[in-house]
Amino acid sequence: MRPVRLDLDGFTVFREPTTVDFTDTDFFALVGPTGSGKSTVLDAVCFALYGTVPRWGDRRAIANALAPSAAEARVRLIFESAGKRYVLTRVVRRDAKGAVTTKHAGLEMLAPGLDLAKLEFGLEQDDIAEVLAGTPGEVDTAVLTVVGLPYEQFTKCVVLPQGDFAAFLHAKPAERQKILVNLLGLEVYGKIRERAQAEATTAEARLKVLDDQLHALADIDDAALAAASARVEALGRVTAAVDAIVPRLADADRLAGQAATALAALDAEIGRLAAVTIPPDAAGLAASAATARAAVAGAMDAARAAEEREEKLRGELQSAGDATALRRLLDHHAARARLVAESGSVRATLAGAEAEHRKAAAALESARADARSALAELEAAREAYQAAVAADRAVALRPHLRVGDACPVCTQTVHELPTVPHEPAVAAAEAAGKRARKRSEAADKAVEERDRSARDLDRALATARAHAQQLERRLAELDAELEGAPAPEALQRDLDGIAALTRRLEQAGAEVRKAREAQRGAARQADTAEERLRSAWRAFDGARDGLASFGPPPANRDDLADAWATLHGWATGEAGRRRAGRPAAQDEVSAAQRGVAGIRDELAARFTEAGLPAPGGDPARDAAVALERADAARRRIEERRADAARMREQRDEMGREAQIAKALAQHLRADRFERWLLAEALDSLVEGASRTLRELSSGQYDLGHEKGEFFVVDHHDAGLRRAVRTLSGGETFQASLALALALSEQLAGLSAASASLESIVLDEGFGTLDTATLDTVAVTLENLAARGDRMVGVVTHVGALAERIPVRFEVRRDARTARIERVGL
C-alpha cells in the first residue's frame, strides 16, 4: 500500500479542509513542533483504511475522529496497491444527541491514468473502474483483500514504532519471547489448544447425549416390529371388507335419498298450490285506472284553452309595435333637451373665455413693451458704465501729466491739464446699471408670467371651443334621428299600452303553466293506476306461470278478479288430490332408511372387531387412514432402528474425535509447541534482519543470536562478535530498523491475503540522538529509500534530520486548526 493523496476535513486537529499530496514522493518527513499534528496524519491514514487508530485503543471510540467543535469529519485516502489506484472515503457525524457514528464509507478502484485534479469537481461513472464497497462492513472486508494486511499487522508492517523494536533488540529472552508471541500472533496456537480442549469437552458431552438417546430407543426390538407388522395385516383385511360393503351402503343411501326427494317434491307441490290466494284489491284496480284516464282528458282540454288565450295576447302585443324602438326615440327626445340646455351654458362659457383671452393678450403685449424699454435702459447703463470706466482711468493719469509732455494714451503733446471731477464716474454708473438690471429682470419675470397665463387661457379657450363643437355635432345627430318621429307624449302612451299587454300575457303564461302542471299530475296518477293494474296482472301471471307444470286453466284477460277466482279454485282442488297420496310416499322413505341403518351396523361391527372407533361419514377413508397410521407406526419403528444404528456409528466417530482433540491440546502446550515455533521464528527473523543490516551498514555487520541473546558480527574487525549493547546509537538504529523490516516481512507472510508492502513510516522521535548518530540514521534512511522498493517516511521534529530528507511536510497549528505545507522537491 502506497499513499498518493490524503484529504482531511474536521478530523481531530485539522478542523479546516487540508490535503497532503504524496505524488512522486519516495522519501519524505513529517516535521513540526511537538503536538502540532504530525502523528495525526498517520492516524488519518489508519482511520481511512481500518476505521480506528492505535492511539485510541478502542475501535468503538470513533468520537475521537471529530474536532471538538465539528459536527462532521471526512477522510479521503487515494492509494496504490499492486499497480492499481483506489479511493477510500469515511465520513463520521455527530447527531443532535451527541452520538457519533460512521455515516458513509466507500472504496472504489479508479480508472487507469485518471487525473487526480478531477477529484475537486467529483468523479463521473467513467472515472471509476469498479465499486468495491459501500458500507463500513464491506469496506473492512475489501481493504483486507486490496491491502493484504489486517489492522494489527498493518500497524506493525507499514507504520513502525521504532522504539518498540529497539526494546525488542535489547530485551531479555523471556521478555523477547512475550513480544514475539504478540507481534507474530503466535497466541493463535494457544487459542487452538483452548479450542481443542473445548472440542474434546463438547465431544464427551455429545457422547453422553448419544448414550441417552440410544437408551431411549430400547423399545424397538424385533417383537415390537413383529407386532406392528401384524397390526398392518389385520387392518388390511378390514379395509378390504369395508371396500366391499361401501358400494352397498352407497346404493341404499341413493334409494333412501330418492324416496326422501320424492316426498319433499310432493310437499313442495302441495305448498305451492296452497299458496295461491286472491289479492284483496283485484276488483278495484281496473276502475281506478279508468277514472285516472278520464281525469287526464279533462286536464288536457283545460291546458289547450289556456294556451289559446296566451297565443291571442301574444298576437296583440306584436301588433302594438316595438317597445325597444319606441323607448329609444323617447330617450333621444330627453337627450336632445339636455343638450340644448347644456349648449347655452357652453356658449356663455366660451364668450367669457374669449374675453379673458383678449385681456391676457393685451397684458402680454404691454409687458413685452415694458421689457423692451427696460432692456434698452440696461444697454444704455452698460455703455455709460464703460464710459465711466474710461473716464476714471483718464483721471488716474492726471497726476502724472505735465503741460508740454506727450500723453501716454494718444502720444499728443499736452497743452492743457483736464479738470479732475470730485467723485468717480464709475460708482454712479454702476449704481445706475444695477437699477436698470433690476428693472429689466422684473420686466422679464412679468413677461414670463403673462405669457404663462396667456397659454393657460389658450388651452381653456381651445377646450371650450371643442366642447361647443361636440355639442353641435351631437344635436345634429339627434335631430336627424328624430326627424318625423312622434312627440314624446304619444311615444309614452304607446309604451304604456305595450306594458299593459305584456302584463296580461305574463298572467296568461302563468295560467298555461298551471294547466300543464295539472295535466302532468293527472298523467302521473293515471300512469300510477295503470302500473298498479299491470303489476297486478304480472303478479297473476307470475303465480300462474309458477304452476305451469301442473296445467292450470286458461285466464280471462279482460277481468282480473275473474282470472284470480278461476286460478284459486283450480289450485285448491289440485292440492287436495296430492295430500291424499302423501302417506304412501312417507312409507317408502321409512323402508329405505331402515335398509341404510342395517348396512351401517354391519360396518360398525367390522370396525369394532379391529379395535377401531365407529366409522364416520366416509368408512372407506377411515379404514384407509387407520391402515396408513399402522403402516406409518411400523415405518417409524424401522426408522428408529436405523437411527439407532447411525447413532452407534456416530458414537464411535465422536469417541475418535474426542481422543484426537485431547491429543492436540496436549501437544500444543505452551512449554512445547510454542517454544519450538518461537525458535523457528527467531531464526527466520535474524536471517532476514541480517541481510537488511548488511545492506544498511554497507557490508559491515551481520546479525546473529545464541541462547536467546542477539549479537553482531563486525566484518570490518576480522569477524569479531559484539553484543548489541556495545553498538553506538546509530548502529543500534540500523540493527533495530533491520529487525523491524524483517519482522514486517514475516507479518506480511502471515497475512490471510497477498500483502503489498510498498511503504514504511517510522513514527519515532530522534531528539535524544547526538549529531554523529543522527548522521548515521539519515544515511541509513537514505539507503533504505534508495532501494526503491518502498516509500519511506519519517515523523520527527528534529531539524537536522529533516533537512537531509528531500521532501518535507511541515505541520503547523494555531488556535483554530492545523495546517500542512509541502517543502522541497
Side-chain angles (χ1 to χ4, degrees):
M1 192 285 299
R2 182 186 184 100
V4 177
R5 171 171 166 166
L6 177 66
D7 296 318
L8 308 174
D9 187 3
F11 185 77
T12 65
V13 297
F14 293 95
R15 292 181 173 88
E16 295 179 354
T18 304
T19 296
V20 185
D21 190 353
F22 296 102
T23 305
D24 300 328
T25 302
D26 294 323
F27 188 22
F28 69 90
L30 284 166
V31 300
T34 301
S36 61
K38 301 184 298 297
S39 296
T40 303
V41 177
L42 304 184
D43 292 345
V45 173
C46 288
F47 178 75
L49 290 168
Y50 299 100
T52 188
V53 173
R55 292 193 293 176
W56 295 352
D58 188 351
R59 290 180 65 91
R60 295 171 295 179
I62 61 172
N64 295 320
L66 282 171
S69 60
E72 178 178 282
R74 291 177 174 268
V75 178
R76 180 172 63 184
L77 175 65
I78 302 170
F79 65 93
E80 292 180 353
S81 183
K84 299 178 181 178
R85 279 193 176 182
Y86 303 85
V87 57
L88 174 58
T89 305
R90 289 187 191 263
V91 180
V92 175
R93 290 178 186 164
R94 180 185 287 114
D95 60 20
K97 297 181 180 180
V100 179
T101 56
T102 300
K103 291 299 180 182
H104 171 70
L107 176 63
E108 294 94 15
M109 182 193 300
L110 298 178
L114 175 66
D115 185 3
L116 295 184
K118 295 191 66 175
L119 293 173
E120 304 298 332
F121 307 99
L123 294 175
E124 299 178 356
Q125 188 64 36
D126 294 341
D127 300 329
I128 299 175
E130 183 180 358
V131 177
L132 301 178
T135 65
E138 292 175 354
V139 168
D140 292 343
T141 302
V143 165
L144 181 60
T145 301
V146 171
V147 178
L149 292 173
Y151 167 72
E152 292 78 7
Q153 294 182 9
F154 177 84
T155 56
K156 297 176 178 67
C157 296
V158 179
V159 180
L160 301 180
Q162 189 266 341
D164 290 349
F165 291 106
F168 176 77
L169 184 69
H170 296 138
K172 294 179 180 179
E175 184 179 355
R176 186 178 298 114
Q177 177 177 336
K178 182 178 179 181
I179 295 174
L180 274 176
V181 168
N182 291 333
L183 291 181
L184 293 178
L186 298 184
E187 67 274 6
V188 67
Y189 298 105
K191 294 179 180 179
I192 293 175
R193 175 177 52 81
E194 295 174 358
R195 178 66 179 272
Q197 290 176 344
E199 290 289 340
T201 302
T202 302
E204 291 176 350
R206 292 184 64 185
L207 281 174
K208 185 178 184 308
V209 171
L210 287 173
D211 288 339
D212 293 340
Q213 290 176 344
L214 286 171
H215 180 72
L217 295 176
D219 59 344
I220 56 172
D221 54 7
D222 295 341
L225 181 60
S229 299
R231 178 65 173 169
V232 171
E233 293 175 1
L235 289 177
R237 290 190 295 271
V238 171
T239 301
V242 170
D243 289 342
I245 296 172
V246 164
R248 291 166 51 204
L249 178 62
D251 291 339
D253 281 334
R254 179 174 52 77
L255 293 175
Q258 291 175 352
T261 301
L263 178 60
L266 182 61
D267 289 338
E269 290 178 359
I270 293 171
R272 289 163 62 190
L273 290 168
V276 176
T277 58
I278 300 174
D281 58 350
L285 289 177
S288 298
T291 302
R293 285 194 293 271
V296 170
M300 291 177 64
D301 293 340
R304 280 195 295 271
E307 289 172 352
E308 290 173 355
R309 286 193 298 274
E310 181 186 27
E311 190 61 29
K312 181 181 178 182
L313 287 172
R314 185 173 286 109
E316 293 177 359
L317 182 60
Q318 290 177 353
S319 300
D322 187 356
T324 302
L326 294 175
R327 193 174 292 108
R328 185 184 302 111
L329 291 175
L330 188 61
D331 291 341
H332 287 348
H333 278 296
R336 187 181 184 286
R338 289 194 301 273
L339 289 177
V340 168
E342 186 179 357
S343 177
S345 175
V346 169
R347 283 194 295 272
T349 300
L350 180 59
E354 289 175 345
E356 289 294 328
H357 183 268
R358 287 192 295 273
K359 290 180 182 179
L364 177 59
E365 185 58 34
S366 174
R368 286 174 177 169
D370 189 35
R372 288 193 294 272
S373 174
L375 182 60
E377 183 180 346
L378 178 59
E379 290 297 329
R382 287 174 178 168
E383 292 177 0
Y385 177 77
Q386 295 296 330
V389 170
D392 284 351
R393 288 177 178 174
V395 170
L397 295 175
R398 173 67 179 79
H400 304 289
L401 293 177
R402 298 289 186 271
V403 176
D405 293 341
C407 177
V409 178
C410 61
T411 68
Q412 300 291 326
T413 302
V414 177
H415 297 290
E416 182 180 357
L417 296 175
T419 304
V420 178
H422 296 290
E423 296 293 335
V426 171
E430 186 175 3
K434 289 181 179 180
R435 289 192 298 274
R437 183 179 296 104
K438 185 175 182 181
R439 179 169 175 267
S440 177
E441 291 174 353
D444 289 342
K445 184 175 182 182
V447 169
E448 182 179 353
E449 292 177 353
R450 299 295 185 189
D451 184 58
R452 183 167 56 252
S453 177
R455 286 195 299 272
D456 292 342
L457 289 173
D458 284 342
R459 286 191 293 271
L461 181 60
T463 301
R465 287 172 178 170
H467 192 191
Q469 293 173 359
Q470 183 180 6
L471 289 175
E472 291 174 359
R473 286 194 301 272
R474 182 58 181 153
L475 280 172
E477 292 173 357
L478 289 175
D479 288 343
E481 292 178 0
L482 291 173
E483 184 177 359
E489 295 77 8
L491 291 172
Q492 187 61 50
R493 284 194 300 272
D494 292 342
L495 285 172
D496 292 342
I498 292 172
L501 285 172
T502 301
R503 288 191 295 274
R504 290 172 63 194
L505 179 61
E506 290 175 352
Q507 292 174 357
E511 292 175 356
V512 169
R513 289 190 294 274
K514 183 176 180 181
R516 288 174 178 170
E517 182 59 32
Q519 178 186 349
R520 287 191 290 271
R524 286 194 296 271
Q525 291 178 358
D527 291 341
T528 302
E530 291 287 349
E531 179 58 30
R532 290 177 62 194
L533 182 59
R534 288 191 295 271
S535 178
W537 275 110
R538 285 194 298 271
F540 171 80
D541 292 340
R544 189 178 183 279
D545 292 344
L547 303 174
S549 60
F550 304 146
N556 181 8
R557 303 300 299 182
D558 295 329
D559 190 343
L560 179 63
D562 180 67
W564 271 112
T566 301
L567 182 64
H568 179 264
W570 169 82
T572 301
E574 290 293 322
R577 285 191 295 272
R578 283 168 173 75
R579 289 191 185 96
R582 190 176 186 284
Q586 181 66 46
D587 292 341
E588 291 181 5
V589 171
S590 298
Q593 290 176 346
R594 286 193 296 273
V596 171
I599 296 174
R600 288 192 179 277
D601 291 342
E602 184 180 353
L603 281 172
R606 293 286 187 177
F607 274 77
T608 301
E609 292 173 1
L612 297 176
D618 190 351
R621 179 182 179 279
D622 293 343
V625 169
L627 177 61
E628 179 61 30
R629 288 175 177 172
D631 189 55
R634 183 186 62 185
R635 289 197 303 270
R636 281 197 299 274
I637 291 176
E638 292 173 347
E639 291 171 357
R640 293 178 70 193
R641 289 167 66 89
D643 290 341
R646 286 194 297 271
M647 288 179 186
R648 294 186 187 95
E649 293 177 358
Q650 291 177 2
R651 189 187 184 286
D652 295 340
E653 179 66 23
M654 194 62 62
R656 289 191 294 272
E657 291 180 0
Q659 291 177 357
I660 292 172
K662 286 182 180 179
L664 179 60
Q666 184 69 19
H667 290 314
L668 291 181
R669 289 177 53 185
D671 58 351
R672 297 180 183 178
F673 185 71
E674 186 178 277
R675 183 176 300 172
W676 175 79
L677 279 177
L678 288 173
E680 291 295 321
L682 190 59
D683 288 342
S684 178
L685 177 64
V686 169
E687 181 181 356
S690 184
R691 287 195 301 269
T692 303
L693 180 59
R694 219 171 18 249
E695 184 176 354
L696 294 177
S697 63
S698 299
Q700 182 176 359
Y701 295 115
D702 275 341
L703 185 66
H705 77 100
E706 186 177 20
K707 296 180 180 180
E709 293 291 346
F710 286 124
F711 62 86
V712 294
V713 177
D714 190 347
H715 295 292
H716 290 183
D717 193 5
L720 177 66
R721 282 191 175 190
R722 293 172 52 190
V724 293
R725 297 186 181 278
T726 65
L727 298 177
S728 66
E731 292 169 339
T732 299
F733 175 81
Q734 288 180 333
S736 300
L737 180 58
L739 276 173
L741 294 176
L743 187 57
S744 70
E745 293 287 354
Q746 288 199 17
L747 287 175
L750 293 174
S751 173
S754 178
S756 178
L757 299 177
E758 300 174 81
S759 59
I760 182 171
V761 181
L762 299 176
D763 187 2
E764 173 66 15
F766 300 96
T768 59
L769 301 180
D770 56 30
T771 302
T773 302
L774 276 177
D775 184 68
T776 302
V777 168
V779 172
T780 301
L781 294 175
E782 289 168 357
N783 292 337
L784 179 61
R787 290 165 57 180
D789 58 346
R790 299 188 190 186
M791 171 193 286
V792 178
V794 174
V795 179
T796 184
H797 61 274
V798 178
L801 176 61
E803 289 175 357
R804 298 188 56 166
I805 298 175
V807 176
R808 297 183 298 279
F809 294 98
E810 295 185 352
V811 184
R812 296 289 184 269
R813 183 178 178 183
D814 55 24
R816 169 63 184 164
T817 185
R819 294 178 174 82
I820 300 177
E821 180 181 2
R822 177 169 172 161
V823 180
L825 299 177

